[in-house]
Amino acid sequence: TREPVILAGVAGIVAGALSMAAGEYVSVSSQSDLETADIEREKQELVDYPEQEEYELAKIYVGRGLSEELAKKVARELTEHDALGAHARDELGINEITQANPFQAALASGAAFIFGGALPVVVAFLGNLSSMIYLQYTFAIIFLILLGSVAAKTGGSNVWRAVIRITFWGTAAMGLTALIGYLFGVNVA
């Protein structure tokens, strides 16, 4: 019967989604901690070495193409307006848009896993049991193509490049997983 397969699939999706969300949360939280530490260090440097920090800011602007005179003026005005904000943005590359958000990353990762994992479970529910392995591989590749295309369109990137990359690496991962299963004598058929 299909019931154990479906239940195992749903349990796998839930476990995988939780694992992905937790992993993403931990990873992005670590990134956020590093950003916070960098900002605190920069804040202290602005107190301890204000002239040197303004000089560093001016050097950054010269490197971006401003004349030395204009770069010094811009650095001075930005320092007077919001020194820490200018250094966080221009020296550290941290701003409100790029700042790490662990909770948002965890939700996105978990949701992506649930959606991606639900598709093979639907195939398991509807497909013919005698050809399930072939159906799963075939539909997994179709789903990779579909999801790669949707992700590229959503992100505004090249659709073909995304589809080829996601399909290649997803297929390679499936093939390697099957090979490892074969080498260890694990066969679900």
Side-chain angles (χ1 to χ4, degrees), residues 28-103:
V28 177
S29 288
S30 297
Q31 179 184 346
S32 179
D33 291 346
L34 288 172
E35 289 175 353
T36 301
D38 284 344
I39 289 172
E40 287 302 314
R41 189 171 29 260
E42 195 62 39
K43 190 185 295 184
Q44 190 59 50
E45 288 175 359
L46 285 165
V47 170
D48 295 342
Y49 313 105
E51 297 84 18
Q52 186 177 348
E53 289 299 306
E54 189 175 310
Y55 173 76
E56 277 182 19
L57 207 52
K59 254 177 53 175
I60 290 168
Y61 300 140
V62 167
R64 291 185 184 164
L66 295 181
S67 69
E68 197 169 318
E69 183 181 323
L70 182 56
K72 285 179 182 178
K73 183 177 179 179
V74 169
R76 163 107 352 127
E77 288 188 21
L78 287 175
T79 298
E80 289 171 359
H81 175 69
D82 178 12
L84 185 58
H87 282 272
R89 181 185 57 251
D90 296 327
E91 184 180 342
L92 303 175
I94 300 170
N95 63 45
E96 302 83 31
I97 295 170
T98 62
Q99 202 163 17
N101 185 333
F103 188 69

Side-chain angles (χ1 to χ4, degrees), residues 2-32:
R2 294 178 193 267
E3 192 172 307
V5 173
I6 301 302
L7 290 175
V10 170
I13 290 170
V14 171
L18 291 172
S19 175
M20 291 292 291
E24 196 70 24
Y25 182 84
V26 168
S27 174
V28 177
S29 288
S30 297
Q31 179 184 346
S32 179

Side-chain angles (χ1 to χ4, degrees), residues 145-185:
I145 291 168
L146 175 70
L147 293 173
S149 148
V150 168
K153 286 181 181 178
T154 302
S157 63
N158 182 293
V159 173
W160 287 110
R161 190 176 319 140
V163 166
I164 290 168
R165 178 178 52 243
I166 289 171
T167 304
F168 172 80
W169 288 108
T171 304
M174 283 190 298
L176 288 171
T177 302
L179 176 63
I180 291 168
Y182 173 77
L183 293 175
F184 284 91

